[in-house]
Amino acid sequence: INTNWAGGFNYNNIIGKKTDLQSNYFYSRYNPNLQSSIQRQYFLPDSSYFYNQSGYSNNINNSHRLNFTVEHIIDSFNSIKFTQSIGLQKTNNRSFSNYITQSDDGIKNNEGFSNNSANGDGYNLRNDFIFRKKFRAKKGRTFSLNLQTTANQSTGESELESINRFYTPGGSLQRIDSFNQRSNNEAALFGYTARA
């Protein structure tokens, strides 16, 4: 079952005679939810065995986007424009599965389960400032100055837990393999640009 919510709004306004404001906001939430069940029978030349697996996963992804622009005409020869965009993301992912393999007379060959989780947060930010000037001396001759800053940052953590049991042909527990892992990550990028 996939659930998706999305919506937003726009706001535009001319302030006075020289300032133009434009803005918009958008939100989305995506939630895929999965339940699965697998049942298989394998036929070998001298025997057969069964494999059963069940799984569940639930993922939630949220995102926000905000854009904002202000343009101001100083006079007939000079103007400035400022634009800002912000994005926020948040994810929560969970999954679980277990399995069992057994002979046709019910003796276990192996079985196990795994449990996964992952969470993440991030944002991105961009600012643009533009100054434009027209020269009186020659028509079409202009000067512009553009300053831009960007910032992107994300953090996340994940966990994995898994246990697998293996049995002898007689059904006695032979060995156990297990995993218990955790990881963290962080990334950041900052940029500055100036053009004339």
Side-chain angles (χ1 to χ4, degrees):
I1 299 174
N2 294 326
T3 305
N4 194 10
W5 296 86
F9 64 85
N10 299 301
Y11 177 75
N12 302 318
N13 192 8
I14 297 176
I15 303 170
K17 296 181 179 180
K18 296 184 176 182
T19 304
D20 185 14
L21 168 66
Q22 299 178 5
S23 63
N24 61 76
Y25 167 78
F26 185 78
Y27 167 75
S28 67
R29 174 187 170 95
Y30 180 56
N31 181 204
N33 192 305
L34 173 67
Q35 280 186 310
S36 64
S37 178
I38 298 173
Q39 295 178 330
R40 295 175 180 155
Q41 184 177 9
Y42 293 88
F43 295 96
L44 303 177
D46 57 349
S47 62
S48 66
Y49 68 94
F50 295 89
Y51 175 82
N52 296 322
Q53 177 185 323
S54 61
Y56 173 78
S57 67
N58 186 28
N59 303 322
I60 300 175
N61 304 296
N62 290 288
S63 68
H64 304 262
R65 289 202 312 269
L66 176 65
N67 298 302
F68 180 83
T69 300
V70 177
E71 187 167 8
H72 178 69
I73 299 174
I74 301 171
D75 53 38
S76 58
F77 293 96
N78 300 283
S79 68
I80 57 174
K81 182 179 181 180
F82 176 74
T83 302
Q84 185 178 70
S85 61
I86 304 171
L88 299 173
Q89 301 85 32
K90 184 176 180 65
T91 60
N92 298 97
N93 302 322
R94 299 283 184 275
S95 65
F96 176 84
S97 67
N98 57 35
Y99 76 94
I100 183 170
T101 303
Q102 54 190 5
S103 62
D104 52 5
D105 55 0
I107 299 176
K108 294 180 183 178
N109 295 328
N110 53 54
E111 64 179 349
F113 77 90
S114 64
N115 192 7
N116 293 275
S117 66
N119 301 312
D121 295 279
Y123 77 86
N124 54 76
L125 173 67
R126 175 172 169 169
N127 297 307
D128 284 282
F129 176 81
I130 302 174
F131 169 75
R132 290 174 292 200
K133 178 178 180 61
K134 296 179 182 178
F135 289 98
R136 300 172 188 262
K138 281 192 176 182
K139 186 177 181 180
R141 181 172 291 182
T142 63
F143 170 80
S144 65
L145 175 65
N146 176 238
L147 303 175
Q148 181 188 97
T149 62
T150 58
N152 299 281
Q153 191 166 7
S154 64
T155 59
E157 63 178 14
S158 62
E159 294 182 3
L160 167 63
E161 181 187 7
S162 176
I163 296 179
N164 299 283
R165 296 181 176 90
F166 300 89
Y167 297 88
T168 64
S172 300
L173 182 61
Q174 185 178 29
R175 63 185 176 91
I176 298 176
D177 284 345
S178 63
F179 295 93
N180 194 352
Q181 299 175 343
R182 181 172 183 175
S183 64
N184 295 279
N185 63 76
E186 183 173 351
L189 174 66
F190 302 95
Y192 308 89
T193 304
R195 292 195 301 270

